[in-house]
Amino acid sequence: MKTVHLIQHTHWDREWYFTENDSKAVLYYFMEDLLQRLEDDPTLGPFVLDGQTVVIEDYLSVAPHQENRLRKLIAQGRITIGPWYTQSDFLVVGAESITRNLLLGHADCQRFGDAMPIGYVPDSFGQSAQLPMFLQQFAIDHAVIWRGWSEHNVPHSEFSWQSADGSKVTTAVLPWGYGCAKWLPDDPQHAQKTLEPILAKQTRFSLTDQVLLPNGNDQSPFEYRVPAMLDQLNQQQDQYHFVRSSFSQFFQALENSNVALPEYQGELISPKYMRIHRGIFSTRVDIKQLNARLEQTLSQHLEPLLALNWRLGLPYPQYAVDSIWREAMKSHAHDSIGGCNSDRVNAMVKNRLESGLEMAHQLIDLNMKMLAEGISARQDGKKIIIFNARPQASTGLVELTIFTPEQDFRVIDGEGNECRWQIVEEGRQDMSIIVQELSNSTETTWYRKCKLLLEVRDIPACGYQTLYLQEGVSAGFNSETELAVKLENEWLRLETDERGVLTLTDKRNQQIYHNILQLVDGGDAGDNYNYSPPFDDWLVSNEGFLVSVSGTQGSLQSSLTLNWKMAVPQDLAARNERRADAQLDVSMTITLAHSNAWLDVNISVNNTVRDHRLQVLLPTNVQQHIHFADQPFGLIERHNQPPEMALWQDEQWTEAPVALYPMQSQVMMFDTQRGLCAVTEGLREYQINENSQDTLAVTLLRSVGWLGQANMPYRPGRASGMVLPSPDSQIQGMHHFKLSVLPMNNGADKSFWRDVERARGHLHAWLATGWSRFRTNPHGRVFPPHYSVLSWDSELHFSVLKKAQHSDALVVRGWNPTAQPLPYGTVKANGKITPVTLAETALQTHHEAVPTCAPATFAITF
């Protein structure tokens, strides 16, 4: 007899085709009913509150008077909560976001009771290979998942899932979803007929006689009559024994069965039984870019700066920072960050991210102002603070914007040595917008606005250095730029012909990359969930549409700017008729710094057409069957073409497993002789086309006009979501994209990884002008002209420096981006240094080296 574990739950989307306001209104009545039913019948429960504590936060925001009732039921184990703050999509959001999600989710659970010790991920659009690692770092040994699994990954729905670093969790799949047993009849006879096909499917891949039966659905009322009905069924048949259960009880029964579980390592992105919607990686790219910018601003700038200032005696606004993270995570659910929502919801998601950036930037500005205020000047001029978030001393280039009435100026360090700079952009600025005291003036005060590239050296690790801007003084070097027709330095050469076709030469090994950075525009007949090529697509490249090429060579870098006016179809109808009745204006500026072995690429697109997708191509001419992309805290190897493409139609998969993949910010293809790597800012999708498997195609944008549509080539059958128009998802208007292109002359060696880390950039410059929109009283503290919180001699990539969540300690984190173990290196700080987990608890087992795809975290107490 099979034991069927009844799991009663709700799945709570905060927003989708409805808004979070709609959701809160429904949640009020749902929770009122749930609490009352559980109180009236003490035999009911446990009830799973979707594994995310934001549901509690939302409910108490509209019913704060019910907190004690809720607390009592949680304490009794009748309602199980956590471990997450929100149910995120793990293939799109960043590693620090996933970490904070568990950290803040556990903090909420500690306020209300114990966290459910299950990595419950019921609806992520695919599963990250890193999920076991994240869970183990928070002492969670079990996971329950849905989308992304099939028997082609592992033959059974229960298995031991291992991350590349060796972390393992016992995993159970809900092969037919969290709603497979929703809305069961109250009558045992009717229920038995309903359950027969459900249980036949549920047990199809089960390894043991222990079976999960999830009873609940999206925002559905508590089916409180189901347990009693199943008790009656127990008396009427002997094929199944139904028990009122929990995920923890299920895993205990699974363990007691003493069955050896199959093992699996890797991601789960198979759409055989349920769609994973591969198009969400590029849907609403404006939202993806905002989210990436906010994640980077928080973890790579704001938190390290606050940590530094805290060590200098300034306050650390922990709750303000947590608030920004929480608002960001409310935008991280699979629908929210996927952009597969109504236009109204996408606008709310975007607003949350923009609001988070506003607050983060204001905190940065205020803290830089307070830092500069405490530094005693060693030279004349305005102080420039160069802040280095990384735990290694840094030398390189940093951007700085200055406003000055003078034609001449120079920048010097504390010893009077001059720093080189280059003006990369210049204009005029109405200073009444900048200086509050001028806002009521009857006359406009105009200054030069100069965006500088500044060369800096030996900026202290996790610290700062003070430079000085002296106006009205000539620079001691030639700051003029000259015209250029190609880009060249010690390592690379980039040339263009009269058509704008670019050729890159790696001078280190004389490898040549022809037609690099080509732009290709194609049709998109899909929706917010999935990219879908038209049945007969018409691809248009930028070749033949060049309008102008200009180049400059300066003291620090050289650049080429190419402008195209691409004749493209206005929409799908025009594309079907091969009618180029619209124009796509595209500008690309490629920069080669004299000190860097990579290209920085800025692309601007005025998107005035619809139903299309624009990609930039990186032809590698590498004859390999695999490539690599980054994932949260690591690297993943993928096939250029998934082998399942040969069988998906015969097996009637829900969606084609096309080579349309997610990344955090990096994708690369290489062999021992050559290769290319792209490091992007907020671009989360790339593709490898079946007909050009040596080419990386990075998606810049895609424009669609529907939330859901039916019968697409890559996704046959029903529409996903709702068949609703979403004209805002055509994302009309100006868009700006950034990526760096790194040629690989010796594979993924140490030099390459150092360049990847440098290309991401961790230097920040701030000019102390004395102007401010907001005034604060002087803090009265005195700071040194240069300072370092700590240093870490390590090859690991930097993730964050922050104050510990629950103690007066600092936390510094790096991660291994490579495919091999790396040494930890040495952390040096004026305090006690302790290895800790992502949960910021003492690490019980310490490897001799940092495994691949693993973070390394240290806490420093003073």
Side-chain angles (χ1 to χ4, degrees), residues 25 89 129 135 302-303 333 354 376 402-403 433 458 484 524 564 572 575 579 610 618 630 638 643 655 760 836:
D89 189 283
L135 296 179
L302 175 60
E303 288 180 319
E354 288 175 333
S376 300
I402 68 169
F403 306 99
I433 299 173
D458 302 321
D524 193 336
W564 295 275
L572 279 179
R575 195 173 294 270
R579 180 161 37 90
R610 301 184 296 275
L618 299 174
D630 62 345
R638 293 187 175 120
E655 184 182 11
R760 290 195 172 110
V836 295

Side-chain angles (χ1 to χ4, degrees), residues 168-180:
K168 292 182 180 181
V169 292
T170 301
T171 304
V173 177
L174 304 174
W176 313 104
Y178 56 80
C180 66

Side-chain angles (χ1 to χ4, degrees), residues 577-652:
E577 297 171 6
R578 298 295 192 269
R579 180 161 37 90
D581 55 352
Q583 180 175 288
L584 202 60
D585 292 344
V586 183
S587 175
M588 180 186 294
T589 298
I590 309 163
T591 301
L592 177 62
H594 302 334
S595 56
N596 295 340
W598 66 85
L599 303 172
D600 290 314
V601 183
N602 287 266
I603 302 171
S604 296
V605 179
N606 185 13
N607 185 34
T608 56
V609 299
R610 301 184 296 275
D611 310 324
H612 72 120
R613 182 183 68 169
L614 184 65
Q615 294 182 314
V616 59
L617 306 187
L618 299 174
T620 68
N621 199 26
V622 169
Q623 304 306 307
Q624 294 274 22
H625 298 297
I626 60 168
H627 65 280
F628 298 85
D630 62 345
Q631 58 179 343
F633 289 142
L635 192 69
I636 190 162
E637 177 185 310
R638 293 187 175 120
H639 291 285
N640 292 355
Q641 286 299 304
E644 296 82 5
M645 280 296 289
L647 50 83
W648 79 275
Q649 289 176 306
D650 290 340
E651 293 188 355
Q652 297 183 322

